[in-house]
Amino acid sequence: MDKAMFELARGAMAKAHAPYSRFRVGAVVKGANGRLYAGCNVENAAYPEGCCAETSAIAAMVMDGESKIVEVLVMGGGEGLVTPCGGCRQRIREFATDDAPIHICSPDELRRTVTLGELLPLSFGPENLA
Ligand code: THU
């Protein structure tokens, strides 16, 4: 994980729209093109309509014409590890392979690195439909 990725996530986390949970999350995905795409969680007064930081980072990547994720960073506060939720694990899977590293960070430091395969074993993906 490079420092640029970490700093970008910090900036994204600061921009979160999280007036309901007050839980800010920033995420950065690195495309196969080497570019970094950031996102934050965007909550909604109609609670289920909110979206996760990973989701908005992926949307930014797709809008830039990239379709392969090679690395992910998720940043959140609190004591527990802020790992991608179940839905976001599957969203990442759409664009990444099992060996893609996912860095779990607090705003201060890298706490743990896992692979997508560890978070979402035996996953269903685009290859199943090929
Ligand atoms: N959240 C994320 O954005 N990403 C995660 O990996 C975990 C949870 C958001 C969703 C919601 O806005 C807030 O955190 C509390 O669940």
Side-chain angles (χ1 to χ4, degrees), residues 22-124:
R22 307 249 170 230
F23 193 80
R24 295 173 177 274
V25 182
V28 175
V29 298
K30 183 185 278 182
N33 59 10
R35 291 192 192 150
L36 300 176
Y37 303 96
C40 61
N41 53 333
V42 182
E43 296 182 349
N44 192 284
Y47 293 173
E49 302 307 327
C51 85
C52 288
E54 296 89 328
T55 305
S56 47
I58 289 170
M61 182 194 79
V62 171
M63 274 300 294
D64 194 43
E66 177 56 70
S67 59
K68 181 153 174 49
I69 294 175
V70 296
E71 200 174 345
V72 178
L73 188 157
V74 182
M75 182 182 287
E79 286 298 305
L81 289 178
V82 180
T83 56
C85 75
C88 285
R89 294 177 194 201
Q90 187 67 41
R91 290 187 188 97
I92 294 166
R93 173 68 182 87
E94 183 69 14
F95 303 101
T97 48
D98 277 359
D99 58 349
I102 301 186
H103 308 294
I104 312 301
C105 297
S106 74
D108 299 320
E109 62 187 358
L110 170 65
R111 298 188 62 189
R112 189 160 162 181
T113 297
V114 294
T115 65
L116 176 60
E118 287 177 289
L119 291 184
L120 194 68
L122 297 174
S123 63
F124 182 87

